[in-house]
Amino acid sequence: MGKPGIAQKKGVMDIIKNWIAQNKQVWLTLYVPAYLTVFCLLQARQVPARTVHFALDYQIPFCEYFIIPYCTWYFLLIGVGLYTLLKDKNSFIKFMLFMIMGYTVCMFVYWVYPIAQDLRPAVFPRDNFCSKLVGLIYSMDPPFNILPSMHVVGSFMCAAAVANCPTVKKAVSKVLVSLLAVVISISTVFVKQHSVLDTAAAFALCVIIFFILYAPWTKAQRERISPPAQRNWLIGGIVGFAVSVLCIRFTLENLPL
C-alpha cells in the first residue's frame, strides 16, 4: 500500500505537467533567467565605459520619493506577466515577445557600446526610508549599461500588454497601468538611475516594438476592426515612427562618441 503523501505529491505533479502541456507558452519564461545571466555578466565585466553628460540631467533635481514608483516596476512586471499567462495566451506571448525583443536589443547595445553616468548624489539631502531604499538600489545596480533603459522598456511592455488584453474590460484599468508606466519611467531620472538619453532611446525602442507586435498588419486583422480604428492605427504609426526617429536622433547627437 503506497503512502498517501507520495500519492498526493504525484497527483500535484501530474496537474502541473498537464497544465504545462496545455500552456506551452510558459516556456517563453526561460528567457528571463537567460537575460538575467547575460546582464549580470555584462555588469561584471571590466571595460572602458563612456560617461553621459547631458545638460538637462543636471537641471532635474534628485528626489528620493520617486524610488517608490521605481520599485513598483518589479511588481508590475510580475503581476502583468502572471495575469496574461493565466488569462490570455496571445497576450502573454506578445508580452514575452516584447521582452525578448526589447531586452535583447538592450543587451546588444550594452555589449558593443557601454554607457555610464555620474549623476548620483554624493550625499543624500535627507535621511529617511526612501533615501535608504535608494542607497540599497545603488549598491545592487552599478551606474553603467544604462542606455536604453530596461526600466522604461519593461514599463511600456506592461502597459501595451494590458491595453491590448481582451480580458481586461475596464478602461480605467488600462489607463491606470499606462499612467503607472509613465510615472515609473519618469522616476528613473529623478532617482538618478538613468539619464534623459536612456529614457529617450528606450521610448523609441518601445514605439518600434509596439507597432511590430500590435499593429493590424494583415488583412484579417484589419477586417476585425472598424475603419476609424484603422485610420487611428495609420496615424499612430506615422506619428510613432516620427517620434522614434526624433528620439533616436536626439540620443545619438548627445552621446559621448
Side-chain angles (χ1 to χ4, degrees), residues 188-209:
T188 63
V189 296
F190 278 95
V191 298
K192 301 303 177 181
Q193 276 292 87
H194 285 285
S195 163
V196 171
L197 298 181
D198 307 337
T199 60
F203 181 76
L205 178 60
C206 288
V207 170
I208 293 169
I209 297 175

Side-chain angles (χ1 to χ4, degrees), residues 162-224:
V162 171
N164 292 276
C165 183
T167 61
V168 180
K169 303 297 185 181
K170 294 183 178 180
V172 65
S173 299
K174 300 180 181 183
V175 171
L176 287 176
V177 172
S178 296
L179 288 175
L180 180 58
V182 172
V183 174
I184 291 173
S185 300
I186 292 173
S187 74
T188 63
V189 296
F190 278 95
V191 298
K192 301 303 177 181
Q193 276 292 87
H194 285 285
S195 163
V196 171
L197 298 181
D198 307 337
T199 60
F203 181 76
L205 178 60
C206 288
V207 170
I208 293 169
I209 297 175
F210 175 80
F211 280 98
I212 290 174
L213 292 177
Y214 293 101
W217 294 105
T218 66
K219 183 179 179 180
Q221 289 175 322
R222 290 192 295 272
E223 288 176 347
R224 287 197 294 268

Side-chain angles (χ1 to χ4, degrees), residues 135-146:
L136 178 63
I137 296 295
Y138 281 4
S139 67
M140 295 189 301
D141 191 5
F144 52 88
N145 290 331
I146 55 175

Side-chain angles (χ1 to χ4, degrees), residues 18-211:
N18 291 334
W19 186 86
I20 292 175
Q22 297 171 10
N23 297 273
K24 290 185 171 60
Q25 69 273 17
V26 73
W27 292 109
L28 289 171
T29 58
L30 291 177
Y31 176 80
V32 175
Y35 110 76
L36 286 173
T37 300
V38 173
F39 180 68
C40 290
L41 291 173
L42 289 171
Q43 290 290 81
R45 67 177 183 157
Q46 301 295 321
V47 294
R50 298 170 175 84
T51 303
V52 170
H53 291 280
F54 185 63
L56 182 58
D57 288 314
Y58 299 100
Q59 302 301 316
I60 298 174
F62 169 80
C63 181
E64 72 272 19
Y65 300 112
F66 274 97
I67 197 65
I68 301 300
Y70 183 89
C71 290
T72 304
W73 179 81
Y74 301 100
F75 300 99
L76 180 64
L77 254 64
I78 295 171
V80 174
L82 286 175
Y83 179 86
T84 53
L85 174 62
L86 298 174
K87 292 294 186 178
D88 188 72
K89 176 180 178 179
N90 290 333
S91 294
F92 178 75
I93 291 174
K94 288 186 177 182
F95 173 82
M96 288 304 304
L97 287 177
F98 202 124
M99 179 186 292
I100 291 169
M101 295 167 68
Y103 285 3
T104 299
V105 170
C106 289
M107 297 299 112
F108 179 77
V109 175
Y110 299 162
W111 176 49
V112 299
Y113 197 79
I115 293 289
Q117 52 100 331
D118 57 1
L119 301 171
R120 293 179 173 182
V123 179
F124 294 134
R126 291 165 291 276
D127 183 15
N128 52 37
F129 170 77
C130 290
S131 294
K132 290 181 172 61
L133 189 54
V134 173
L136 178 63
I137 296 295
Y138 281 4
S139 67
M140 295 189 301
D141 191 5
F144 52 88
N145 290 331
I146 55 175
L147 185 151
S149 166
M150 289 197 297
H151 238 69
V152 174
V153 173
S155 298
F156 282 94
M157 172 179 75
C158 291
V162 171
N164 292 276
C165 183
T167 61
V168 180
K169 303 297 185 181
K170 294 183 178 180
V172 65
S173 299
K174 300 180 181 183
V175 171
L176 287 176
V177 172
S178 296
L179 288 175
L180 180 58
V182 172
V183 174
I184 291 173
S185 300
I186 292 173
S187 74
T188 63
V189 296
F190 278 95
V191 298
K192 301 303 177 181
Q193 276 292 87
H194 285 285
S195 163
V196 171
L197 298 181
D198 307 337
T199 60
F203 181 76
L205 178 60
C206 288
V207 170
I208 293 169
I209 297 175
F210 175 80
F211 280 98

